[in-house]
Amino acid sequence: MFDHVRGVKSAVSGYAGGGGQRPTYESVSSGRTGHAETVRVTFDPRQVSYAQLLQIYFSVATDPTQLDRQGPDTGTQYRGALFPTTQAQARQARAYIAQLGKARVFRRPIVTKVEPLRRFTAAESYHQDFVAKNPRHPYIVVNDRPKVIALRRLFPKLYV
């Protein structure tokens, strides 16, 4: 989905938030590594701000009220987590989450956490650009295509 945001230079699927050995899809899927499946988004702040990326994340990419779950996927590896790359981003993310909570934008409490980024590991090559390579895959049709459609509808000026 972030590949369709104006100003995003790259969106790399991967793993963050855990420790130990180099994570793999199989080890992370076990739910025992502490890692979360994540996306490293590299962007041009002259075209899209971190604040706009947060808006997209919380309104299109995820349901921030689901604990250890995103859509049909369950487990700590699917937790809602942000891994900011700077202290300024961390402060901005925490403030935005507090603002959403105070405004009661969601019916349930936001459980998305802001976690320190110790290390990001890119996922295996078959995970990269999975949507583009597999547009008719049932998981993509049911779970990801609606997010891209929502992005285009809610953020038309940022959609590419």
Side-chain angles (χ1 to χ4, degrees), residues 79-92:
R79 68 187 179 273
L82 296 169
F83 298 94
T85 59
T86 67
Q87 287 300 320
Q89 285 180 353
R91 283 190 300 276
Q92 193 171 5

Side-chain angles (χ1 to χ4, degrees), residues 100-115:
L100 291 173
K102 187 175 182 179
R104 298 179 191 240
V105 172
F106 299 97
R107 290 187 175 157
R108 296 176 298 187
I110 294 171
V111 295
T112 299
K113 301 292 184 215
V114 178
E115 298 184 26

Side-chain angles (χ1 to χ4, degrees), residues 24-158:
T24 63
Y25 179 72
E26 289 76 23
S27 67
V28 172
S29 294
S30 75
R32 295 187 300 267
T33 67
H35 287 88
E37 289 191 2
T38 189
V39 177
R40 180 179 59 201
V41 177
T42 305
F43 64 100
D44 179 350
R46 295 170 299 184
Q47 295 184 48
V48 63
S49 68
Y50 185 67
Q52 289 171 308
L53 292 172
L54 287 172
Q55 288 176 323
I56 291 168
Y57 177 79
F58 282 98
S59 60
V60 177
T62 188
D63 177 346
T65 68
Q66 291 185 333
L67 182 62
D68 296 339
R69 179 185 184 111
Q70 290 303 315
D73 302 316
T74 60
T76 58
Q77 66 273 32
Y78 301 109
R79 68 187 179 273
L82 296 169
F83 298 94
T85 59
T86 67
Q87 287 300 320
Q89 285 180 353
R91 283 190 300 276
Q92 193 171 5
R94 286 187 190 96
Y96 189 67
I97 291 169
Q99 180 184 12
L100 291 173
K102 187 175 182 179
R104 298 179 191 240
V105 172
F106 299 97
R107 290 187 175 157
R108 296 176 298 187
I110 294 171
V111 295
T112 299
K113 301 292 184 215
V114 178
E115 298 184 26
L117 177 64
R118 290 182 287 277
R119 184 176 85 196
F120 172 85
T121 302
E124 297 80 357
S125 61
Y126 65 91
H127 286 290
Q128 307 305 328
D129 302 313
F130 189 84
V131 174
K133 294 175 186 173
N134 302 279
R136 290 189 171 87
H137 189 284
Y139 186 93
I140 300 305
V141 171
V142 171
N143 297 289
D144 292 334
R145 188 176 298 156
K147 293 177 184 181
V148 175
I149 292 167
L151 173 68
R152 181 176 36 207
R153 181 175 46 83
L154 296 171
F155 299 92
K157 292 182 180 177
L158 290 176

